[in-house]
Amino acid sequence: MNEEQKQAYLEDYKQEKEKGVKFYPDIIYKDLIVAFALFLLLVGLAIYVGVAAEPPADPSDSSYIPRPEWYFLFLFQLLKYFPGQIEWVGTVIIPTIAVLALLLLPFYDRSPFRHWKKRKVATAIMSIVVIGMVALTVLAAVSTPPQEEVAFATTITDKIVLGQDVYSIHCVECHGAEGEGGEIVGVEGLEGVFLKSISSQDEMYTRSDDTFFAIIDYGQPDLGMPPYGLGYGGELTRGEIDAIVNFMRYTWDDRVEIPEEAAQAGAIPELGPNEIPSYEVHIEPIVKRYCVSCHRPGKKNNNYLMRSFQETMETGDNAPNVIPGDLNSNNILMMNRQEIEAGGPMPPTRALKPELIVIFEKWVLGGAPETAEEAAALSPTEEPTAPITEETEVSP
Amino acid sequence: MAVKVVNWLDERLGLLSIYNLVFDRKVPKVNWWFTLGSASLFLFVVQGITGVFLSVYYVPDPEKAYSSIQYIMNGVAFGWLIRGIHHWGATLMVIFVFIHMLRTFFMGAYKYPREITWVTGVVLLLATLGMGFTGYLLPWNQRAYWATTVGTAIAGTVPVVGDFILRILRGGNDLSAVTLARFFSVHIWFLPVVIVGLISVHMYLVVRLGISSEPKDEAE
């Protein structure tokens, strides 16, 4: 712009100002409306959307798919087009040019025109850049595979419940469902090893949470305990190990009280007097806690898997192990400590509590129903399928 | 009485001249797009206030950062609200500052005599992105950790000095307590000071030069 154009602009601006409004109240008023709307929006987002919970940082878990904050996604995506040797074109050259172009804009764009109709090139370039950024962002969002859901807990109750689940899968085969230890049976490489209890007062009073964490994470290889932490070749995240430690502490240490909610969530549902148990309500919690640690893939179990109803009913070299209505089913016999063709007593080291065996027997005898509805339909005392008649309403 | 108080104060503080200079001035009549600047400022103030509250309980230490945020979310009265606002405020601020820049560009408002206002604005945009980048690590969760790992790794691709920059950003070869301490410090001290300073210059210029008028499609 030359001097003349500058003067012309200032003159024009002066006129605009004279035709204009007062900063207070006119402009301030609009600003306040926008600020207020933004505030409501923020509070609304905080209340109704919130902040997504995330598991704690785990440097050993390299399976996590890194995703930058959304407003950096376009850059992230851009880099994919500059692989290998020319990567620095995407990381250095393009961003530097873009920032400099933006920063120095008023010094190289010296035309006096302000309306877009007289600045078509500038308008077009910026529009293309913005559309490009939006497109790259969308591309990045679409092409990034979804993160595998990782189980993690934030409250103590959730940690205890998660901890029990993880413990039941990974620890029970050697340490037992109550941490009681004893002779290891049926675990490859550790057959016949005798384990001390890990739930005793001795153990609980003399070992800190950090010690438990380290033992699970790093293992005690000389004693036969393999490492479980991802960082040492195991398969547990730090959050999962932390959950196990919480489960152990709150369940076995008699100096701390387990939160009511956690105790309820961990309890095996009770059975009514004439109720027929169902897999989903009664059997699954028992199987999960006492059986799955060995009855999952990769373990010595005659290919009998128990991770679901389907597997429990159908898998195994000696299948079927559950025959509805038959108390001579393999499972029942073995739970009652009998040595049969399909194998020895189950669980190998210590019998299930009698009341749990009773639930199992009632379930098999009642027809081994999967869902609670099926079990209710099989129950002898109630007739839920019968329509409600006046008689039933009158009867006490 | 009220008049007396105002007069007494004005004699000493010169409030009336500020009022005349800043509030009682004439400006061109403009549309709603011109509220983006004040909206950005408002969001910065909100981020500042909520950020100060969060810093009461937040502990910038890898062992404690995650649980300190758990505590803010579950233990502190309205902590979840403050964090929620700070979290979403960051996103909104990036959007608003960016659109504010676009508006200024498309209306040619960066031209004479507002070149310096534009330059400070661009630096403010970059500083806002810097706030987003540094703040993202602070919760020390998986998302934060890996995003920052990848983000800082980008610096490592710069020819010759890349490795050096990477080590400055991370305070070592890997993300560690040092990285968290650096990001925290940059997030709550360095960048806010830069932003406050630049906003002051930016706003001084806006008041001094007046807001730009809507460009006219004149055929003069």
Side-chain angles (χ1 to χ4, degrees), chain B residues 38-100:
Chain B
S38 75
S40 305
L41 175 66
F42 172 74
L43 287 167
F44 176 69
V45 172
V46 168
Q47 291 303 85
I49 293 170
T50 51
V52 167
F53 277 114
L54 289 174
S55 76
V56 174
Y57 295 101
Y58 176 74
V59 185
D61 176 289
E63 298 288 319
K64 297 180 182 139
Y66 186 81
S67 52
S68 70
I69 287 184
Q70 290 303 322
Y71 181 63
I72 289 171
M73 295 299 280
N74 302 317
V76 181
F78 293 107
W80 59 272
L81 182 63
I82 298 292
R83 171 153 189 246
I85 291 175
H86 198 75
H87 174 90
W88 287 105
T91 284
L92 283 190
M93 191 168 159
V94 170
I95 295 176
F96 272 77
V97 172
F98 188 73
I99 303 180
H100 180 45

Side-chain angles (χ1 to χ4, degrees), chain A residues 44-117:
Chain A
L45 285 168
I47 293 177
Y48 296 107
V49 186
V51 186
E54 275 280 319
D58 188 348
S60 60
D61 181 6
S62 52
S63 72
Y64 195 88
I65 300 158
R67 53 195 72 224
E69 184 65 301
W70 67 267
Y71 41 80
F72 289 122
L73 279 178
F74 74 98
L75 253 180
F76 196 61
Q77 184 69 19
L78 183 68
L79 297 186
K80 292 184 188 165
Y81 304 111
F82 299 95
Q85 286 294 315
I86 54 162
E87 193 180 20
W88 58 281
V89 174
T91 57
V92 185
I93 304 289
I94 292 179
T96 308
I97 290 176
V99 167
L100 284 180
L102 208 59
L103 204 61
L104 301 178
L105 173 66
F107 305 105
Y108 61 81
D109 173 15
R110 307 179 69 97
S111 87
F113 305 114
R114 288 163 203 251
H115 197 273
W116 66 269
K117 280 188 181 167

Side-chain angles (χ1 to χ4, degrees), chain B residues 85-136:
Chain B
I85 291 175
H86 198 75
H87 174 90
W88 287 105
T91 284
L92 283 190
M93 191 168 159
V94 170
I95 295 176
F96 272 77
V97 172
F98 188 73
I99 303 180
H100 180 45
M101 182 277 286
L102 287 183
R103 186 237 106 197
T104 311
F105 179 89
F106 285 123
M107 290 192 174
Y110 54 88
K111 299 192 173 194
Y112 172 85
R114 299 186 181 81
E115 295 94 333
I116 299 177
T117 323
W118 169 265
V119 171
T120 55
V122 172
V123 180
L124 279 168
L125 170 61
L126 296 175
T128 305
L129 292 175
M131 287 297 267
F133 185 64
T134 51
Y136 203 51

